[in-house]
Amino acid sequence: MDNSLPPAEELALVDRELARLDARRSQLLARRAWLIQVLYAPAAPTAPGPRPPVADSTPRSAQNVLLTLGGTLLTIAAIAFTLVSWGSMGIGGRAVVLCAVTSAALAAPVALLRRGLVSTAESVAALGLVLMVLDAYALHRVALPGTDGLGYTAVAAAVLAGAWTAYGSALSRLRIPLPAAVAVGQLPLPLGVLAAGGGPTAFAWVALLTAAADGAVVLWTRPTAVRITAATGAAALGGWALLTGGWLSLTSPWSGAALLLAGGTVTLYAAWRTPMLAVAASALAGLAAITAVGGLLRSAVPTDWTVPAYVLCGLALASLWRLGAAATTGPAATATAGNGRTGSGQPTSEAGAPAPDAGLAADSTGLPNGVRLGLAGAGAGVAALGIAWALPPVAAGLLGPMARTTEVWSGEHADRVLASFPGTAVLVLAVAAAVLAVLPRLWARCGALALLWALLTALPVSLGLPYAATLTLQLLTSAAALACAVRPGPLLRGLRRSEAGQPAAAGGPGAPGAQGPGIPTASVPTVSGTAAQPAGATAGTTQTGPTAPMAFSAPFSAPAPGAPWPAWAAPRPRPQAPAAEPGAVLGWIAYAGGLASAVSALALALDVRAATFTVLGVLLALLGGVAVFGTGARRMIAACGAVLTATGLVVAVAAAGGFADHWTALALLVVPAATAAVGAKARPVALPVEITGAVVALPAFGLAASRPAFLALALAIGGVIAAATAARPERRRFASWTAAVLFLLATWVRLAVWEVATPEAYTLPVTVPALVVGFLRRRRDPEASSWTAYGPGLAVTLLPSLLAAWTDPEWPRPLALGVAALTVTLLGARFRLQALLVLGGSVLALDGLHELAPYVVQAVGALPRWLPPALAGLLLLAVGATYEQRLRDARRLRDRVARMR
C-alpha cells in the first residue's frame, strides 16, 4: 500500500477515526433504544377513581375569616367598654380590668404558639396591641388629663413602638407586632416637633430623620412585612421632606439646600445599597442635589439667569455618565476583560456570564452603573426642561414672519414677538449643543445639530437684531444647513466607528470572529478529546490532522426521554432590520432645518420688494445646487422647491411690473415650459420637476379664466408644451393625451368666445380623433369590443345632436342626423359591429319618430274615435296568433346582435 504518511502518524489517524465511529455508534444506539421505548411502550390502564367534592373554601381560609371576625368583635367591645362604660367603675376596677385583659391578651399567644395555633395567636396578639393603645388612652384620661395631647401621643407612640418591638422579637412567629411597631414608630418625632411648636423646616428635618431610620430598617431587617411597612413610611416622610426642601429652596435657599442635600444623601445611600431601586432612587437624589445647588445659584444671579443656572447643574450631573462610559470603554475596561469583567465593567462568572450582583458593578468613578444612570438621567431631564424653556424664541423666530400683520412690500415690519423673554435662552441652547457635540454618539450629534439650528433661529428674537441682520442670518442658516445636508461628512467626525458606518477594528466588537459579551472563548471539548471549532469558524476550517471527517461540538450522550434531538445544523441567524446610515440621518435633520429657515426667510422678505427678489434668487441658487449635487429624495425635493421658487420669482416680477392677471397667467407658463426643457436632460429629477411644473400651470389657467380669449391661448400653449414633452418616448403615453385634452379645451373656449352655439362644432373635434384611435386599436386587436373602440366617439356626437334635433324646429339638422345615423347603422350591419348598429339604429329611430310625430298626431285626430281601439285589438290578435313565431324571431335577433363585436 502506497501512502505518503509515516506508519506512526497513519496509525494515530486510524485510531482517532475508529474512536469517532465508536462514539457515533453509541449515540445512535442510545437514540434507537429510546425511540423503541417511546413507540412500543405498553399503555398502563388507569381506572378513573371517584372525584373528590370541590369545597367552596379551604379550611385555612375559613379559619382566618373566623379569627378575623372574632378579633374585630373583641376589639369593638374593648373600645366600647373603654369609651362608654368607663365611668361606671372606680379607679381600682378600671385598672384591674384593663391590666387583666391586656395581660391575658398578650400572654395568651405564648401558649397558643406552643400548641401550633399560629392564626389564633395572631388574632389574640392583635387584640392585645389594640388594648395597649386603649390603655394609653385611658392613662391620659384618668392619670394625666392636663398633659398636652400631641406631646403625650408622641411619648405614647415611642413607648408602644419599643414595647411592640420587644414583644414581636420575643415571639418571632407572630407577624403583626413588628410591622405595627414600625408603623407606630413613624409618629414620635413628627408629633414631638408639632408639640414643641416647630415650623415646616423642623418638621421636614424630623420627617427626613424618620425616613432615614425606615431606610435602615429596610436594609437591615429580613421580614418582608416589616420591610414593606418601613419602605412605605420612608417614601411618605422622605417625599414630604424633599417637597418641603424644594419649597424652601424658593423662599429660603440655604435652609432648603441643607435639607435637600441631606435627603439626597440618604436617598443616594439607599440607591447604592438597593440595586433594584438604584436608578429611580439615584434619579430622585440627583433632582434633590440640582434643586439645592440651583436654588443657591438662583439667589446669587439675576432673574434671567435662573434657568441657565439649573441647566448647568443638570449638565454637570449628567457628565457622570460620560465619565463612567469613558472609564468602561477605555484601556482600564480592556485590561479588566481578563480579570472576570465584561466590557461594560460588570463582573462575570467563570462561564463568562454576568454575575448575579452585576447591578452593583462600579466603574472607575466609584459609582455603580444603576446609580450613575439615575444621576445622569436626572441631570439630563433637568437639561431637557431647560431646553424646552428656551424653545419659544425658536418658534417665534421661525413662525413669526408667517403671521403677517402688514401688507406685502409695504416696507413696514411686524412688532417683535416675545420681546420680554429672557435673552439667556440662546445661552441654554448653545451650552446644550456644545455638550451634545462632544459626545461621540449619533443621537447626541443629531441633538447638537438640531439645537444649533434652533440657536441660530432664536438668535434674532433673543438679541433683537434688526431686519437686515435677521434676514441675512436666516439665509446663512439655510445655506449652511443645506450644505450639511448635501455633504454630511464633517458632521460624522468624532463619532464611534460602529456609528459612523466604518468597519470595526479586528478583534473588536462586530469583527467576524468576535463573540458577544458573556460568551466564553474557550473551545468546547469533543468526544475524541480534541477541541471543537470556535463559533466564528467557517465550514471550511479544518482541524488538526490531515483529515477531519466529522467533529461534534458537545460530548455524545443519550438524550433524556422526551428531550429534543441535538441539532446538527448551525442555527440560522435572526434577520435584523438594517440600521439607518448616520450620514443620511444627519443629512435629513440638516435638510429639514434648511428648508424651514428658507420658508421663514421668504416670509420675512415679503416686507420689502428688493428683499423679496434677493431671497428668491438666493433660494433658487441654493435649491438648484442641492438638486445638482445632492442625492436621493433630498435631491428631488430640492428640485421641486427650485421650481416653486422660480414660480415665486415670476409672480414677483409680474407683480412688480403691474401685470394684469391674464398676462401673469401667460408669464407663469414659462415655468412648465422650462421644466419640460430641463426634464429632457435632468434624468434623475425629471419626473418630479415636470410634475411640479404641470401643477404650476393650473393656477395659470385659473388666472386667465377672467379673459376667455387668454384662457384659450393659455390652454393652447399648455398643449404645445405637452406635445413637445410627448416627443420623448418615456413621456409619450401620458403627455400625448394631456396635449389632446388641452388642445380640445382651447378649441372649445375659442368657439365659446366666437359665440358658436352649434353642438357639432364642439363634439366633432372629439369624435374624429376618437374614431381614428378606435380604428387603429381594432386594426391592431380585432378581438377588441366595438363599444370600447367606437362607442365613446360616436356617443359624443350622436347624443348631443339628437337632443339638439328634438328642439330644432327646422328640417336640415334632423335630416343630416338621420343620414348620419343611417350610415352608421349600415356600417354596423355590414361589418357586424354591435356599437355602431345599436347606436345608429337607436338614434335613427328616435330621429324618425321626432319627424313623424306631427303627422301621426294629425292622422289620429282625423280618424274616428272607435278606430284606434279596433286597430289595437287587431294588432293584439295578430301578435297572439303568431306569438311563438315572433318569440323565436326576437330570440334569433338577440343572438345575432350578441354575436357582434
Side-chain angles (χ1 to χ4, degrees), residues 326-437:
T328 55
T329 58
T334 306
T336 59
N339 297 327
R341 288 187 177 270
T342 61
S344 60
Q346 298 181 356
T348 60
S349 61
E350 294 180 0
D357 59 345
L360 294 176
D363 50 34
S364 62
T365 60
L367 295 176
N369 291 335
V371 174
R372 183 164 55 90
L373 178 60
L375 293 176
V382 172
L385 290 177
I387 293 172
W389 169 82
L391 289 181
V394 181
L398 181 65
L399 303 177
M402 301 179 187
R404 301 200 58 82
T405 57
T406 59
E407 296 293 334
V408 177
W409 292 355
S410 62
E412 300 178 356
H413 309 300
D415 297 335
R416 289 186 56 192
V417 183
L418 298 179
S420 60
F421 201 86
T424 53
V426 294
L427 178 61
V428 172
L429 296 175
V431 173
V435 170
L436 290 178

Side-chain angles (χ1 to χ4, degrees), residues 40-74:
Y40 303 106
T46 57
R51 299 180 61 184
V54 180
D56 292 336
S57 62
T58 62
R60 179 67 64 181
S61 63
Q63 180 188 16
N64 293 335
V65 170
L66 294 176
L67 292 175
T68 302
L69 291 176
T72 304
L73 292 176
L74 289 176

Side-chain angles (χ1 to χ4, degrees), residues 15 61 79 275 370 376 539 598 694 706 750:
D15 290 341
S61 63
I79 294 173
S706 59
R750 177 56 61 182

Side-chain angles (χ1 to χ4, degrees), residues 276-379:
M276 295 181 58
L277 303 176
V279 177
S282 58
L284 185 60
L287 291 176
I290 293 173
T291 306
V293 180
L296 295 178
L297 294 178
R298 183 186 60 83
S299 62
V301 298
T303 306
D304 292 350
W305 290 84
T306 300
V307 175
Y310 283 101
V311 171
L312 289 178
C313 295
L315 293 177
L317 193 60
S319 63
L320 292 176
W321 177 259
R322 173 61 179 161
L323 296 177
T328 55
T329 58
T334 306
T336 59
N339 297 327
R341 288 187 177 270
T342 61
S344 60
Q346 298 181 356
T348 60
S349 61
E350 294 180 0
D357 59 345
L360 294 176
D363 50 34
S364 62
T365 60
L367 295 176
N369 291 335
V371 174
R372 183 164 55 90
L373 178 60
L375 293 176

Side-chain angles (χ1 to χ4, degrees), residues 172-184:
S172 58
R173 297 177 62 183
L174 297 178
R175 294 174 295 179
I176 294 179
L178 289 179
V182 173
V184 174

